[in-house]
Amino acid sequence: MRPPVHDPTPLTASRRDALGLLAVAPLLVATQDQVAPSEEVRLLENMLTRMGVEVQLENDQPRLFFIDTGAEASALSVELAQSLNLSPGPSVTVHGVTAAETTPTVRIGHIEIGRQRFEDLILPVFPRSLLGADGLLGLDLLSRFRLTLDMRARRVTLSPPGSSDRLVVRDPQASYSLRQQDVVVTGHRGQSGQLILTRVEADGVDVSAFIDSGAQYSIGNLALMRAADISQTNDMARMVRLVGIVGGGVTAQTGTVRSLKVAGRALGATPLLFADLHAFRIMDLIERPALLLGADVLTRFSRISLDYGRSRVSFGGLLRRPPPKADLRSP
């Protein structure tokens, strides 16, 4: 998203807001097959795609960081920063889904993810109770990898950019997707680093969409709501309050598009949330139909691979078993 404002050194930082909408996901296992073949880490029971990997900072013990493709920059918990006695950095303006807020940062000598080492980082910090983990990995680091979310094998893979789309599915009980070849969708990198995708339609309307692996529900802007001819209402039963990590909140309306297509796959009638999020505004996606793709849509596919180096996303076949229907009216 937009560079944060501080003096004197510019630094880009962003944080996807936690939506305050809770669900329980199955316990998953993450591997980094091509980066570190022998490593496996447990994933917490949390939102459907809140996948976590073990990250090592400053030669400390491994810590759990969530993977979040909706965050432009990685972040650290205040508690971990204090325990490692990290030096403070400049304050930055962090842009979240619902709002923006000035946030403190810390300086980190190095971070190791698998066999990859990143040095001299400045990361914003948030209370661990808000992050839900020791930290999160955003696009500043994830974009150095090719990220594959394999729903069938219940694994996440970090591999070198531009590597083969082939994956070995290790769970013999998980082969229940439709036999469809992967569909590759091209896109372009927005100001905040997200891939803005092509080939997404809602009720026949072309939609600018991006993937947020940390969001439980998919959220469209009001331009999409109007284009899909979904009427606005004052009915509180159709309202959901979205509360953000960086402050502020947005009231979203619920509605259903009659037909959603992603990468040519027809998902049928799909319930969505609708609001003009701060994220849409700073990505210049207010005036035209736009959609944040969250876990409710992502988990319809057998796997999704994001290659930021080549600005492309690969979608696997649709799963035969539909995901549980979410009650979007629950706060």
Side-chain angles (χ1 to χ4, degrees), residues 313-326:
V313 179
S314 175
F315 290 87
L318 295 176
L319 295 177
R320 290 186 182 276
R321 301 176 184 176
K325 292 185 178 179

PDB file of all heavy atoms in Angstrom, residues 313-326:
ATOM      1  N   VAL A 313      -0.925 -16.194 -10.803  1.00  0.00           N
ATOM      2  CA  VAL A 313      -1.517 -17.059  -9.794  1.00  0.00           C
ATOM      3  C   VAL A 313      -2.070 -18.290 -10.493  1.00  0.00           C
ATOM      4  O   VAL A 313      -2.744 -18.184 -11.523  1.00  0.00           O
ATOM      5  CB  VAL A 313      -2.642 -16.342  -9.014  1.00  0.00           C
ATOM      6  CG1 VAL A 313      -3.251 -17.281  -7.981  1.00  0.00           C
ATOM      7  CG2 VAL A 313      -2.112 -15.086  -8.340  1.00  0.00           C
ATOM      8  N   SER A 314      -1.778 -19.460  -9.943  1.00  0.00           N
ATOM      9  CA  SER A 314      -2.258 -20.713 -10.498  1.00  0.00           C
ATOM     10  C   SER A 314      -3.340 -21.286  -9.585  1.00  0.00           C
ATOM     11  O   SER A 314      -3.124 -21.439  -8.376  1.00  0.00           O
ATOM     12  CB  SER A 314      -1.094 -21.706 -10.625  1.00  0.00           C
ATOM     13  OG  SER A 314      -1.544 -22.972 -11.066  1.00  0.00           O
ATOM     14  N   PHE A 315      -4.519 -21.580 -10.163  1.00  0.00           N
ATOM     15  CA  PHE A 315      -5.640 -22.146  -9.412  1.00  0.00           C
ATOM     16  C   PHE A 315      -5.822 -23.608  -9.794  1.00  0.00           C
ATOM     17  O   PHE A 315      -5.926 -23.945 -10.980  1.00  0.00           O
ATOM     18  CB  PHE A 315      -6.936 -21.387  -9.716  1.00  0.00           C
ATOM     19  CG  PHE A 315      -6.979 -19.996  -9.156  1.00  0.00           C
ATOM     20  CD1 PHE A 315      -6.465 -18.931  -9.875  1.00  0.00           C
ATOM     21  CD2 PHE A 315      -7.524 -19.752  -7.905  1.00  0.00           C
ATOM     22  CE1 PHE A 315      -6.500 -17.641  -9.372  1.00  0.00           C
ATOM     23  CE2 PHE A 315      -7.559 -18.464  -7.390  1.00  0.00           C
ATOM     24  CZ  PHE A 315      -7.049 -17.410  -8.118  1.00  0.00           C
ATOM     25  N   GLY A 316      -5.877 -24.487  -8.803  1.00  0.00           N
ATOM     26  CA  GLY A 316      -6.161 -25.893  -9.050  1.00  0.00           C
ATOM     27  C   GLY A 316      -7.646 -26.137  -9.231  1.00  0.00           C
ATOM     28  O   GLY A 316      -8.455 -25.204  -9.279  1.00  0.00           O
ATOM     29  N   GLY A 317      -8.018 -27.414  -9.320  1.00  0.00           N
ATOM     30  CA  GLY A 317      -9.418 -27.765  -9.512  1.00  0.00           C
ATOM     31  C   GLY A 317     -10.264 -27.460  -8.295  1.00  0.00           C
ATOM     32  O   GLY A 317      -9.762 -27.282  -7.183  1.00  0.00           O
ATOM     33  N   LEU A 318     -11.586 -27.399  -8.509  1.00  0.00           N
ATOM     34  CA  LEU A 318     -12.510 -27.177  -7.396  1.00  0.00           C
ATOM     35  C   LEU A 318     -12.631 -28.434  -6.560  1.00  0.00           C
ATOM     36  O   LEU A 318     -12.585 -29.546  -7.075  1.00  0.00           O
ATOM     37  CB  LEU A 318     -13.884 -26.764  -7.922  1.00  0.00           C
ATOM     38  CG  LEU A 318     -13.956 -25.428  -8.655  1.00  0.00           C
ATOM     39  CD1 LEU A 318     -15.360 -25.216  -9.210  1.00  0.00           C
ATOM     40  CD2 LEU A 318     -13.568 -24.290  -7.739  1.00  0.00           C
ATOM     41  N   LEU A 319     -12.796 -28.259  -5.271  1.00  0.00           N
ATOM     42  CA  LEU A 319     -12.985 -29.399  -4.380  1.00  0.00           C
ATOM     43  C   LEU A 319     -14.402 -29.932  -4.509  1.00  0.00           C
ATOM     44  O   LEU A 319     -15.359 -29.179  -4.663  1.00  0.00           O
ATOM     45  CB  LEU A 319     -12.717 -28.979  -2.932  1.00  0.00           C
ATOM     46  CG  LEU A 319     -11.282 -28.552  -2.619  1.00  0.00           C
ATOM     47  CD1 LEU A 319     -11.184 -28.089  -1.169  1.00  0.00           C
ATOM     48  CD2 LEU A 319     -10.311 -29.681  -2.869  1.00  0.00           C
ATOM     49  N   ARG A 320     -14.517 -31.244  -4.429  1.00  0.00           N
ATOM     50  CA  ARG A 320     -15.850 -31.865  -4.476  1.00  0.00           C
ATOM     51  C   ARG A 320     -16.636 -31.562  -3.216  1.00  0.00           C
ATOM     52  O   ARG A 320     -17.841 -31.412  -3.262  1.00  0.00           O
ATOM     53  CB  ARG A 320     -15.714 -33.389  -4.623  1.00  0.00           C
ATOM     54  CG  ARG A 320     -15.201 -33.840  -5.981  1.00  0.00           C
ATOM     55  CD  ARG A 320     -15.240 -35.357  -6.078  1.00  0.00           C
ATOM     56  NE  ARG A 320     -14.707 -35.823  -7.335  1.00  0.00           N
ATOM     57  CZ  ARG A 320     -15.407 -35.908  -8.470  1.00  0.00           C
ATOM     58  NH1 ARG A 320     -16.674 -35.526  -8.473  1.00  0.00           N
ATOM     59  NH2 ARG A 320     -14.849 -36.347  -9.572  1.00  0.00           N
ATOM     60  N   ARG A 321     -15.954 -31.524  -2.110  1.00  0.00           N
ATOM     61  CA  ARG A 321     -16.628 -31.287  -0.831  1.00  0.00           C
ATOM     62  C   ARG A 321     -16.728 -29.789  -0.605  1.00  0.00           C
ATOM     63  O   ARG A 321     -15.719 -29.129  -0.414  1.00  0.00           O
ATOM     64  CB  ARG A 321     -15.847 -31.934   0.312  1.00  0.00           C
ATOM     65  CG  ARG A 321     -15.684 -33.434   0.144  1.00  0.00           C
ATOM     66  CD  ARG A 321     -14.822 -33.985   1.259  1.00  0.00           C
ATOM     67  NE  ARG A 321     -14.557 -35.401   1.080  1.00  0.00           N
ATOM     68  CZ  ARG A 321     -13.763 -36.110   1.870  1.00  0.00           C
ATOM     69  NH1 ARG A 321     -13.163 -35.516   2.884  1.00  0.00           N
ATOM     70  NH2 ARG A 321     -13.561 -37.385   1.652  1.00  0.00           N
ATOM     71  N   PRO A 322     -17.921 -29.228  -0.625  1.00  0.00           N
ATOM     72  CA  PRO A 322     -18.040 -27.772  -0.403  1.00  0.00           C
ATOM     73  C   PRO A 322     -17.648 -27.424   1.014  1.00  0.00           C
ATOM     74  O   PRO A 322     -17.838 -28.208   1.943  1.00  0.00           O
ATOM     75  CB  PRO A 322     -19.524 -27.492  -0.665  1.00  0.00           C
ATOM     76  CG  PRO A 322     -20.194 -28.798  -0.377  1.00  0.00           C
ATOM     77  CD  PRO A 322     -19.230 -29.877  -0.786  1.00  0.00           C
ATOM     78  N   PRO A 323     -17.076 -26.227   1.226  1.00  0.00           N
ATOM     79  CA  PRO A 323     -16.725 -25.807   2.597  1.00  0.00           C
ATOM     80  C   PRO A 323     -17.978 -25.550   3.404  1.00  0.00           C
ATOM     81  O   PRO A 323     -19.056 -25.320   2.847  1.00  0.00           O
ATOM     82  CB  PRO A 323     -15.949 -24.508   2.362  1.00  0.00           C
ATOM     83  CG  PRO A 323     -16.484 -23.987   1.058  1.00  0.00           C
ATOM     84  CD  PRO A 323     -16.809 -25.201   0.228  1.00  0.00           C
ATOM     85  N   PRO A 324     -17.884 -25.618   4.741  1.00  0.00           N
ATOM     86  CA  PRO A 324     -19.055 -25.304   5.574  1.00  0.00           C
ATOM     87  C   PRO A 324     -19.553 -23.894   5.288  1.00  0.00           C
ATOM     88  O   PRO A 324     -18.777 -22.983   5.050  1.00  0.00           O
ATOM     89  CB  PRO A 324     -18.488 -25.420   7.012  1.00  0.00           C
ATOM     90  CG  PRO A 324     -17.223 -26.201   6.874  1.00  0.00           C
ATOM     91  CD  PRO A 324     -16.692 -25.923   5.513  1.00  0.00           C
ATOM     92  N   LYS A 325     -20.882 -23.760   5.275  1.00  0.00           N
ATOM     93  CA  LYS A 325     -21.453 -22.444   5.042  1.00  0.00           C
ATOM     94  C   LYS A 325     -21.231 -21.570   6.273  1.00  0.00           C
ATOM     95  O   LYS A 325     -21.538 -21.960   7.397  1.00  0.00           O
ATOM     96  CB  LYS A 325     -22.953 -22.557   4.720  1.00  0.00           C
ATOM     97  CG  LYS A 325     -23.221 -23.220   3.381  1.00  0.00           C
ATOM     98  CD  LYS A 325     -24.708 -23.204   3.065  1.00  0.00           C
ATOM     99  CE  LYS A 325     -24.985 -23.825   1.699  1.00  0.00           C
ATOM    100  NZ  LYS A 325     -26.437 -23.825   1.393  1.00  0.00           N
ATOM    101  N   ALA A 326     -20.712 -20.390   6.039  1.00  0.00           N
ATOM    102  CA  ALA A 326     -20.461 -19.467   7.135  1.00  0.00           C
ATOM    103  C   ALA A 326     -21.684 -18.599   7.370  1.00  0.00           C
ATOM    104  O   ALA A 326     -22.379 -18.210   6.446  1.00  0.00           O
ATOM    105  CB  ALA A 326     -19.261 -18.582   6.807  1.00  0.00           C
TER     106      ALA A 326
END
